[in-house]
Amino acid sequence: MIIGREIYSGKAYIYDPFILYDPSARERLPSGHALVLGKSGFGKSSLEKCYVLRQLRFRDRSFAILDAQGEDGVGEWDSIARALGVTPIRLVYGGEEGEGVRLNPLDTRIPSQHQFKILCSMVEIIGGELASESEFALSVAHAAARVRAADEDRVPVLSDIHDALTNPQPAMLGKREVGIEDMVRWGQPASLAMDQLCSETRDLAGLFNGPTTPGIDLDARLIVFDLTKLPREGEAMPLLMSVIGPWLRYAWIKPGDTVKRTLIVEEAWHILSHRPVARLFEEFVRYGRRLGLSFWAILHHLGDLMVDEAPEASAILKLTATRVLYHMDKAEADTTAEYLQLPDWAREAITDGASRCSPGRAVWQVGNRMHLVEHIRSATEIELTNTNRKMTESQTGDQTPAAPLISMRKSAA
């Protein structure tokens, strides 16, 4: 798939991580994962959107987008999704009536052992690291919740976990019986976290407690999760990331499936800066080969992440075999160049926002090869990827689309 042109040679620049991962590739990539870095306004968003629009023309390619940016109450991907006949999956903070959807971390599509990993991560995001006694109490509550739901012929939900934690039964720890009083005390950190997720008076209640909203088509070729109504700060965004990753992973596992999937995460620092979330996504990304998965992490910079103190985040970054680097300030460029071991010419290029890495241009590191690339867009792509309408004068006059859009209404999410 063409990206644009290589600046110094003028040749077309073509890229496809799935083709480059194939053993027959002249220089095989170790993974299909990508890291995109750079300041706002220099082309990250345009690149990822054009990449998706162009790849959708191929058979057996599908995409899931975690859209964390937008304006006027909708995400940046809203216009593209609707132009293709796709309805974004909108997640709403606070469980507002009539809006948004719910994702159940205890959905039966997720294996029980991985449900427990998600529960641990959610509790740690809200209340901090779990002691071994609390983890034991949570595991007992999870088992009790699954039994209760099976007896009532329904899917288990988080309120089942909450009930089991606050009204526990004695449990066996090896050959020792743990009494009710100890089970209540051990489970208190988890029960307090569950209260935030389940109580109707809490803001987080509408996101996770209950069956998954019906009608979400995870086989659609384009799935857009609109996260723009969730606050950037606080627990809502990392909690959601901790659920979406495993939820997609197990929904996508199908025997004999040949679909190549790409997961694009806007504002990926919500993953990399929270160790419980990064732990889940590291496993997801490492599993990418079996899923036919290409994971794209979109960030402004690495400086805030302190990746050396987060081994899971560092592992995710090291698994990316493609790095696309747009313009950065010098201090940030130095940090990035040191971490990614960039040559001097690349370090100098990404600090040059007026020429070498002006808007639309970036340093592409694909495996051991490195090029300065200009991304070229058609008139249709320019219109659909314009995120500067609020800051620029309105434009008049008709533009003839350079390429038609392919309707995807039959596969709408």
Side-chain angles (χ1 to χ4, degrees):
M1 185 199 73
I2 190 166
I3 298 294
R5 68 183 181 96
E6 201 275 323
I7 293 297
Y8 296 124
S9 70
K11 294 180 179 179
Y13 191 80
I14 297 172
Y15 172 78
D16 188 306
F18 300 108
I19 298 298
L20 292 173
Y21 183 78
D22 192 280
S24 63
R26 182 173 62 181
E27 185 173 340
R28 186 187 183 190
L29 288 182
S31 80
H33 308 314
L35 172 67
V36 183
L37 294 171
K39 293 179 68 174
S40 294
F42 281 82
K44 299 191 306 298
S45 179
S46 295
L47 170 69
E48 60 187 279
K49 291 171 184 173
C50 291
Y51 178 79
V52 170
L53 286 170
R54 296 173 189 182
Q55 284 266 359
L56 282 172
R57 294 177 176 272
F58 299 152
R59 291 180 299 173
D60 296 335
R61 299 290 168 92
S62 68
F63 295 84
I65 316 296
L66 304 191
D67 183 5
Q69 301 191 72
E71 57 186 30
D72 298 330
V74 297
E76 283 191 355
W77 285 81
D78 190 77
S79 60
I80 289 178
R82 296 193 181 280
L84 296 173
V86 173
T87 302
I89 299 169
R90 206 174 309 282
L91 291 114
V92 177
Y93 189 62
E96 299 174 31
E97 290 296 328
E99 285 197 76
V101 300
R102 179 188 300 112
L103 301 180
N104 181 12
L106 304 180
D107 194 296
T108 53
R109 285 173 284 194
I110 303 173
S112 60
Q113 67 270 22
H114 211 91
Q115 290 177 8
F116 181 65
K117 292 180 182 179
I118 299 172
L119 289 171
C120 289
S121 295
M122 296 178 83
V123 172
E124 288 181 349
I125 290 167
I126 294 173
E129 187 174 355
L130 272 179
S132 55
E133 294 89 351
S134 296
E135 190 171 324
F136 171 75
L138 182 59
S139 69
V140 172
H142 179 220
R146 294 179 64 235
V147 170
R148 174 182 174 181
D151 290 343
E152 297 175 6
D153 193 25
R154 60 174 176 81
V155 175
V157 295
L158 290 184
S159 56
D160 294 325
I161 304 285
H162 193 202
D163 292 345
L165 285 166
T166 54
N167 186 28
Q169 297 298 314
M172 297 302 297
L173 179 58
K175 294 185 178 181
R176 171 196 167 191
E177 182 179 276
V178 181
I180 292 176
E181 185 176 336
D182 283 337
M183 289 297 293
V184 170
R185 187 174 71 254
W186 289 6
Q188 186 173 25
S191 62
L192 290 172
M194 287 297 121
D195 185 68
Q196 291 198 40
L197 295 167
C198 299
S199 174
E200 293 183 0
T201 61
R202 301 297 189 103
D203 287 336
L204 296 172
L207 284 174
F208 307 106
N209 184 34
T212 298
T213 302
I216 299 176
D217 181 10
L218 294 183
D219 291 323
R221 294 193 61 204
L222 176 62
I223 309 166
V224 178
F225 291 93
D226 186 340
L227 315 181
T228 54
K229 286 200 172 183
L230 300 180
R232 298 288 185 91
E233 307 299 330
E235 298 101 349
M237 192 73 80
L239 281 168
L240 185 65
M241 296 291 186
S242 72
V243 175
I244 283 182
W247 197 66
L248 287 173
R249 169 182 169 179
Y250 288 102
W252 280 345
I253 295 176
K254 297 179 178 66
D257 190 13
T258 61
V259 176
K260 305 295 188 294
R261 295 181 169 89
T262 300
L263 173 62
I264 296 178
V265 182
E266 303 264 15
E267 301 286 339
W269 63 271
H270 288 295
I271 292 172
L272 300 175
S273 62
H274 291 81
R275 290 194 66 183
V277 187
R279 190 162 57 238
L280 291 171
F281 265 83
E282 181 193 0
E283 185 176 352
F284 187 22
V285 171
R286 288 189 184 279
Y287 201 77
R289 180 175 58 183
R290 295 183 62 184
L291 279 175
L293 175 71
S294 174
F295 170 76
W296 284 49
I298 316 298
L299 295 164
H300 287 98
H301 43 71
L302 293 177
D304 294 340
L305 295 178
M306 296 183 291
V307 290
D308 291 336
E309 299 177 16
E312 297 88 356
S314 180
I316 291 173
L317 294 177
K318 289 177 180 177
L319 285 169
T320 58
T322 299
R323 283 80 178 260
V324 184
L325 311 173
Y326 287 88
H327 169 59
M328 307 174 198
D329 293 333
K330 185 178 185 307
E332 192 57 46
D334 289 342
T335 300
T336 302
E338 182 177 350
Y339 185 81
L340 299 180
Q341 298 183 325
L342 301 179
D344 290 341
W345 76 263
R347 181 195 302 247
E348 294 170 2
I350 59 179
T351 61
D352 183 4
S355 179
R356 282 172 289 181
C357 276
S358 58
R361 295 183 173 189
V363 172
W364 281 66
Q365 182 185 32
V366 181
N368 295 322
R369 296 175 178 268
M370 192 168 291
H371 300 276
L372 185 59
V373 178
E374 180 180 20
H375 174 213
I376 298 175
R377 296 178 290 167
S378 70
T380 299
E381 290 171 335
I382 290 172
E383 177 63 24
L384 285 174
T385 61
N386 181 11
T387 58
N388 298 316
R389 291 184 178 90
K390 292 289 187 180
M391 290 295 293
T392 57
E393 297 288 345
S394 60
Q395 302 295 317
T396 59
D398 295 331
Q399 285 185 316
T400 302
L405 291 177
I406 300 173
S407 176
M408 297 177 63
R409 296 181 187 280
K410 291 182 180 179
S411 300

